[in-house]
């Protein structure tokens, strides 16, 4: 079986490849943006086939799909940061909407029988009242950022290709997923990286934070990878599934965990530059539909997530210091 992954260097891509390599008979092809940081996939070199290009380049993705001829496609490539979408809304739309359509067109032309996963997001739901959680898949979509809007359009494009052309498309609305090998733009990564820098003496003992009151639903990227494989094997085409832990954690409580796990005392300080124009008070998903379709259950809790990410950043900071010396 040939599997094709876009966004291989992103938050989930390398973990998905790791998981698929444990399944006998799977041949992995990955689409990598030529300028993406290769470090998250260094351990995969020689074990997977890499096609370079940009998801916004229709010719590049068409060529890659035509060459790989995959049986399964996981579309993870995106501009995936809500905060960045405020500064770059057009870029976000191009990457997330145009990029998705480029992939769907290539699949329609070359591998119309392939099973395709489209990665959506909980940001499609937008602001949700406390009495509306946990959020199920039939909840109204009220995106409050350019990123959320782009993902609604990408999702609807995938469902339209299923309805119009019969493509086997399954969509996930992923809530926050986190683990090692990520950048430092999401909350847990930012907190843990700052703590590692402070411990290494490279930052003053102040942890800068944004809004601490929102509650978010976090799932480890290893759990996400396992869920994606099960869903593409057992999910119903033309359906949307929440991919989440089903639990919501206050961002301030995560900061407290990082501070408690830290090796030096720190002061926590709100940085106005880290505050978003709109910040949903709570995003907590209902994962019963996914669980019923696949039998999946999350296995890694928030404390282990924080501990792993903090250790990852300690290793990264330590490695950088050794390289510079």
């Amino acid at each position: 079986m040939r599997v094709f992954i876009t966004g291989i260097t992103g938050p989930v891509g390398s973990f998905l490849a790791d998981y698929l390599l444990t399944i006998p008979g799977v041949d992995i092809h990955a689409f990598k943006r030529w300028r993406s940081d290769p470090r998250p996939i260094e351990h995969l070199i020689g074990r997977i086939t890499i096609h370079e290009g940009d998801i916004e380049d229709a010719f590049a993705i068409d060529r890659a799909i035509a060459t790989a001829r995959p049986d399964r496609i996981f579309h993870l490539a995106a501009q995936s940061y809500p905060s960045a979408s405020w500064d770059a809304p057009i870029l976000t739309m191009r990457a997330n909407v145009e990029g998705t359509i480029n992939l769907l067109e290539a699949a329609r032309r070359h591998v119309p029988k392939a099973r395709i996963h489209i990665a959506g997001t909980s940001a499609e739901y937008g602001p949700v009242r406390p009495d509306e959680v946990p959020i199920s898949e039939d909840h109204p979509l009220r995106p409050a950022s350019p990123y959320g809007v782009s993902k609604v359009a990408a999702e609807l494009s995938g469902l339209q290709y299923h309805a119009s052309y019969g493509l086997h498309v399954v969509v996930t609305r992923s809530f926050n997923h986190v683990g090692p090998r990520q950048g430092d733009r999401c909350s847990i990564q930012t907190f843990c990286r700052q703590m590692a820098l402070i411990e290494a003496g490279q930052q003053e003992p102040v942890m800068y934070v944004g809004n601490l009151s929102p509650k978010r639903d976090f799932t480890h990227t290893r759990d996400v990878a396992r869920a994606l494989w099960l869903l593409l094997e057992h999910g119903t085409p033309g359906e949307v599934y929440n991919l989440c832990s089903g639990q919501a954690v206050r961002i301030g409580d995560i900061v407290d965990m990082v501070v408690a796990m830290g090796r030096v005392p720190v002061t926590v300080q709100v940085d106005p530059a880290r505050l978003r124009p709109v910040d949903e008070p709570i995003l907590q998903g209902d994962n019963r539909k996914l669980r019923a379709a696949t039998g999946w259950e999350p296995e890694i809790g928030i404390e282990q997530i924080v501990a792993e990410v903090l250790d990852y950043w300690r290793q990264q900071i330590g490695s950088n210091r050794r390289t510079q010396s």
Side-chain angles (χ1 to χ4, degrees):
M1 180 186 294
R2 287 191 173 190
V3 175
F4 189 89
I5 304 171
T6 72
I8 188 66
T9 62
V12 175
S14 66
F15 284 92
L16 178 58
D18 288 344
Y19 180 73
L20 295 177
L21 285 170
T22 69
I23 301 173
V26 171
D27 179 18
I28 301 174
H29 290 249
F31 192 70
K32 174 188 174 294
R33 187 173 56 172
W34 61 270
R35 63 181 181 274
S36 292
D37 184 352
R39 286 176 295 180
I41 60 169
E42 285 178 340
H43 66 292
L44 296 171
I45 301 302
R47 305 171 70 194
I48 67 175
T49 302
I50 297 176
H51 306 259
E52 289 202 338
D54 194 305
I55 198 67
E56 297 172 44
D57 182 346
F59 295 102
I61 190 65
D62 184 88
R63 184 170 55 249
I65 292 292
T67 301
R69 297 281 172 176
D71 305 289
R72 304 287 187 270
I73 298 173
F74 294 92
H75 180 41
L76 307 175
Q79 191 300 95
S80 57
Y81 296 103
S83 56
S85 74
W86 293 101
D87 296 323
I90 299 299
L91 182 151
T92 299
M93 293 293 173
R94 286 176 179 164
N96 297 355
V97 184
E98 185 178 338
T100 298
I101 294 172
N102 287 341
L103 176 72
L104 291 166
E105 274 293 291
R108 181 177 71 84
R109 282 192 292 265
H110 302 295
V111 286
K113 300 299 182 183
R115 297 187 181 187
I116 304 168
H117 159 256
I118 303 292
T121 171
S122 60
E124 296 176 48
Y125 293 117
V128 177
R129 298 191 307 270
D131 64 341
E132 294 179 310
V133 298
I135 306 164
S136 66
E137 290 83 355
D138 58 3
H139 189 86
L141 302 182
R142 301 179 292 228
S145 68
Y147 168 70
V149 172
S150 74
K151 282 298 198 174
V152 170
E155 171 184 309
L156 292 176
S157 296
L159 298 177
Q160 180 254 310
Y161 271 71
H162 165 72
S164 300
Y165 304 115
L167 296 188
H168 185 117
V169 174
V170 175
V171 177
T172 55
R173 292 183 190 142
S174 291
F175 287 62
N176 296 68
H177 41 248
V178 63
R181 304 181 202 154
Q182 286 180 315
D184 64 346
R185 300 188 70 166
C186 75
S187 58
I188 294 179
Q189 301 287 352
T190 298
F191 306 147
C192 290
R193 181 176 183 274
Q194 288 188 77
M195 178 57 76
L197 287 169
I198 293 168
E199 290 175 349
Q202 297 183 33
Q203 178 175 318
E204 61 181 333
V206 178
M207 182 182 296
Y208 296 97
V209 301
N211 186 0
L212 297 182
S213 61
K215 295 181 178 180
R216 294 291 182 263
D217 188 324
F218 292 95
T219 308
H220 196 289
T221 41
R222 287 200 298 272
D223 281 335
V224 171
R226 186 167 46 86
L228 291 180
W229 173 254
L230 290 171
L231 190 58
L232 208 49
E233 293 304 294
H234 304 290
T236 302
E239 290 292 322
V240 177
Y241 298 83
N242 283 338
L243 178 43
C244 55
S245 71
Q247 305 294 323
V249 182
R250 182 177 169 271
I251 299 299
D253 292 338
I254 292 173
V255 171
D256 292 342
M257 289 181 202
V258 176
V259 171
M261 293 179 189
R263 296 167 180 167
V264 295
V266 300
T267 300
V268 176
Q269 180 176 319
V270 174
D271 177 5
R274 297 172 186 262
L275 301 174
R276 298 177 182 175
V278 179
D279 220 344
E280 298 92 344
I282 182 169
L283 287 174
Q284 177 183 354
D286 182 341
N287 62 17
R288 286 177 294 179
K289 184 177 179 181
L290 171 63
R291 289 163 56 191
T294 64
W296 175 85
E297 294 278 354
E299 297 176 350
I300 303 172
I302 189 63
E303 291 85 1
Q304 184 177 341
I305 289 174
V306 172
E308 281 193 24
V309 173
L310 182 54
D311 284 343
Y312 167 77
W313 282 110
R314 285 168 174 156
Q315 293 169 13
Q316 292 298 110
I317 302 302
S319 176
N320 291 341
R321 291 180 69 186
R322 288 190 295 272
T323 300
Q324 292 169 2
S325 62

